[in-house]
Amino acid sequence: MVDIKHDRATSLLPLGYRASGILLHVTSLPSQFGIGDLGPQALRWIDALAGAGQSWWQMLPLGPTGLGNSPYDPLSTFAGNLQLISPERLIEDKLLFWEDLGSAEFRDDKVDFAAARNLKSRLIHIAWERFHSAAGDPLRDDYDRFRTEQKHWLDDFALFMAIKESQNGQFFYHWPSELKCREPLAMSQMAASLSQRIEFVRFGQFLFFRQWHQMRDYARQHKVRLMGDMPFFVSHDSAEVWANPSLFLLDQSRQPLVVAGVPPDYFSATGQRWGNPVYDWGAMKEEGYGWWIRRLSALLGLVDGVRLDHFRAFAAAWHIPATAPTAENGDWVVGPAGDFIGAAERSLGGLPFIAEDLGLITEDVRKLRDDFQLPGMRVLQFAFDGDPDNIFLPSYYNENSVAFTGTHDNDTTRGWYQTLNEVGRNSVKDWFGASLSDENITDKMMQAVWDSKSALAIAPMQDILNLDSSGRMNIPGLADGNWDWRYQANALTPRMLESLSERTTLTGRWSQ
């Protein structure tokens, strides 16, 4: 372990800090275009957070999603999801007119990924054409600057996406060998023949980042901080694996030698076989962990803090044989631990992170977290197994932690309680009292989290709305049918915001 003296006064949750926030992915915002985006509704959401005294808006990863629409399996760890681009913002930039939007209607309670993807693609093509006219003149210097500043990832991503389209969307490891393995002559030829498409991909990313920074500036003006999310692993079919194969444990055909996942746990009796390639940490160390640090730095350019998903893999990760159908059989393989975290701290000038320390957490993981003074997570739904020493009971929360009613992987609090067996319900009632009911469980759980010693308290938006299981965002291990929950604008009432404001004030968590 690297011997570094850490000072919580410079961390994400300094001594004496006390605040709260809401977990809501951008796709779950209301909008008339089939998916939440970075437009007017995002600003109204920030207004609502600020008005209720909330300091943080936590969201899921922001990368371009592939099959399954999971934000944790993006086509790039650096790029943004073009489905989050706001048509209204493009109108403000004079790259669209209202009549360009068409008359298609979308359901407002679920994300329609396919329809939204088609619409946004069509609108970005129109914007691209207008950008080449006089309408694009005010943006041209900004675009050129963006291309230069983001070149370290943008060029590879743009070429990757252009080739992927030319190959009918096939996974890159199924491309012809010369493309899959980036043979120089083939890359040069593709860059020339696909130059217009490559430039279009760059332009789409420019629009995403332009709109993101506009939204972030608005959040800063209203003293709302943004919490991002960094998946530990990257997708096999991603620009990063394609462009940096030496940093991953792959064979000559770019197939993983082993894949990532977790052994059987709370969420799945057979574990979770994610299928991501795993890192060659020896190669990473030889290059000074540069790729990983650039990855963290890029996300910190968009948000104020980062939740490090699957933090335990920095200590040791579950390596599953690539041919295994489930995650039941595998090996714990030691990760870079403090050597990497120390390098990141020196390079970034601090560690504005939350460690997602859920699941099978061993002493080495706890030591790594605590040696670097990283706040861990406490999820109240995990507390009621009848064990009086369960660390997820509020009486065990410490100040350097973030308390949640539940996360994006949990059922809603109301849905969770409704599906508990009698033993589980009795355990919850032993803590909260016999007057507990389906109607008031969410209120009781939120109050316990807000009352706790944790420096930061967070509830998913579904709990603010007191939804049942119909509002669940994700069921781990289920490949399809996740990530599409949205809330309707009229569902968030003034009374709900007033209640949140009162709770936040009375527990000393009002926006700082």
Side-chain angles (χ1 to χ4, degrees), residues 21 72 105 209 212 301 361 394 461:
Y72 291 90
E105 294 186 2
F209 283 91
W212 181 270
I361 302 303
M461 179 61 166

Side-chain angles (χ1 to χ4, degrees), residues 35-259:
I35 190 170
D37 60 35
L38 303 176
Q41 289 289 350
L43 305 189
R44 293 190 183 100
W45 170 241
I46 291 169
D47 290 339
L49 289 170
Q54 303 310 294
S55 301
W56 289 91
W57 173 10
Q58 183 186 353
M59 56 199 66
L60 305 185
L62 302 166
T65 56
L67 293 177
N69 302 304
S70 171
Y72 291 90
D73 195 33
L75 294 167
S76 169
T77 191
F78 291 96
N81 186 350
L82 300 191
Q83 293 188 65
L84 304 184
I85 289 175
S86 162
E88 292 102 326
R89 287 285 195 186
L90 296 180
I91 291 171
E92 291 173 10
D93 282 333
K94 303 188 187 314
L95 295 175
L96 290 182
F97 299 122
W98 282 106
E99 52 267 31
D100 294 321
L101 304 186
S103 57
E105 294 186 2
F106 302 91
R107 61 186 299 179
D108 58 6
D109 62 331
K110 296 284 185 183
V111 176
D112 189 339
F113 287 105
R117 186 178 293 110
N118 290 337
L119 173 66
K120 298 296 178 76
S121 178
R122 180 177 68 82
L123 296 179
I124 294 169
H125 272 95
I126 296 172
W128 171 238
E129 292 171 2
R130 294 227 171 89
F131 177 74
H132 288 292
S133 69
D137 288 346
L139 301 178
R140 213 166 302 280
D141 287 346
D142 289 344
Y143 175 60
D144 291 340
R145 188 179 308 111
F146 172 79
R147 282 190 53 184
T148 300
E149 292 175 350
Q150 305 301 322
K151 182 179 178 64
H152 68 96
W153 65 267
L154 184 61
D155 288 356
D156 279 329
F157 175 71
L159 181 56
F160 173 82
M161 293 301 291
I163 296 175
K164 190 176 186 65
E165 182 178 357
S166 77
Q167 299 297 308
N168 299 312
Q170 286 191 89
F171 298 148
F172 89 84
Y173 41 87
H174 294 319
W175 294 351
S177 178
E178 66 274 13
L179 300 180
K180 174 173 62 179
C181 297
R182 294 172 57 92
E183 293 180 6
L185 178 59
M187 293 299 94
S188 177
Q189 291 172 339
M190 296 304 281
S193 64
L194 299 174
S195 60
Q196 287 300 306
R197 185 62 188 177
I198 291 168
E199 203 61 39
F200 173 75
V201 175
R202 291 192 185 106
F203 176 72
Q205 290 300 307
F206 165 71
L207 296 180
F208 170 87
F209 283 91
R210 174 177 172 79
Q211 292 191 3
W212 181 270
H213 286 295
Q214 289 171 335
M215 187 198 73
R216 188 186 185 190
D217 288 346
Y218 190 85
R220 281 176 166 169
Q221 293 164 17
H222 289 74
K223 298 182 179 179
V224 173
R225 303 174 76 188
L226 306 181
M227 180 72 70
D229 196 319
M230 174 65 76
F232 184 84
F233 296 106
V234 297
S235 173
H236 185 193
D237 184 39
S238 67
E240 283 70 42
V241 175
W242 176 67
N244 305 278
S246 64
L247 299 181
F248 300 86
L249 297 178
L250 307 173
D251 64 21
Q252 291 300 310
S253 63
R254 303 300 191 255
Q255 293 292 340
L257 298 171
V258 290
V259 296

